[in-house]
Amino acid sequence: MKKIGIIGAMELEVEELKSRLDGAKVTKKAGMDFYEGTLGGAPVVVVRCGIGKVNAALCVQILADLFQVTHVINTGVAGSLNAKLDIGDILISKDAVHHDMDVTPLGYAPGIVPQLEESYFKADKRLAELALESCRKVNPDVHALMGRVVSGDQFIAKKEVKERLISIFHGDCAEMEGASIAHGSYLNGIPFVIIRAISDKADDSAEMDYPTFEKAAAAHCARLVADLVTAI
Ligand code: ADE
């Protein structure tokens, strides 16, 4: 039987999904509240993991061990690294990489996790395609594309840092949890997809734009995820 883990870093990113849950049972673990119930008839566990890669990794492991989820969806906001992605648009993951993994002094390329077969963690193709279809259905006016998520424990708000993420990693959006969720899902053999709405341009305007647009961006994602879980 399918059971879908849905992770958002912030309350804003999961509050709408939580409000739509039927029969929610709450389990506390590692400082996180796991809401288990159904969303449009689909069995789900919705959780706010907190910001950053450590919180995100712990959360995936708990979803795997305690709830035996069969799929993982990460929803939230991100900064755009692609001129084709404007504020309010949606990026659906093709893959995800840690931009702050740096073992270059030992001869590894940036982002490569030594001794791991994969460092550009591939999203499940079917989940990504279904997410794109759901987006077209519920957010017909929102522009969506598939691309690369780059993650690190940093809020990107400087043009030079943004340029580095584009030139080295060919990233389409930057955020702070996706690659960890991808990495954890990969290690546990669980198909995943990351769905991020753009809240800022990850440059010198990001500090101003982010608080203005995060709410609307998160709402686009929540609507998409609510439809997607019924299609999986
Ligand atoms: N989440 C939303 N915008 C972001 C940015 N610019 N950097 C990192 N995470 C983000």
Side-chain angles (χ1 to χ4, degrees), residues 77-79 154-157 174-176 196 199-202 206 210:
V77 297
Q154 302 164 22
F155 187 88
I156 308 300
E175 40 78 300
M176 302 176 71
R196 295 276 175 163
S199 55
D200 58 82
K201 298 280 189 72
Y210 177 81

Side-chain angles (χ1 to χ4, degrees), residues 91-142:
L91 185 284
I92 293 162
S93 62
K94 175 188 73 179
D95 58 16
V97 62
H98 300 284
H99 68 68
D100 56 357
M101 174 60 71
D102 184 356
V103 196
T104 54
L106 300 186
Y108 294 91
I112 297 299
V113 184
Q115 300 174 8
L116 202 62
E117 254 177 48
E118 208 171 291
S119 294
Y120 286 76
F121 305 102
K122 282 184 206 65
D124 184 74
K125 208 161 176 289
R126 177 174 167 267
L127 280 183
E129 275 162 9
L130 286 175
L132 205 52
E133 273 174 38
S134 287
C135 189
R136 292 197 178 121
K137 185 170 146 199
V138 299
N139 295 318
D141 301 331
V142 173

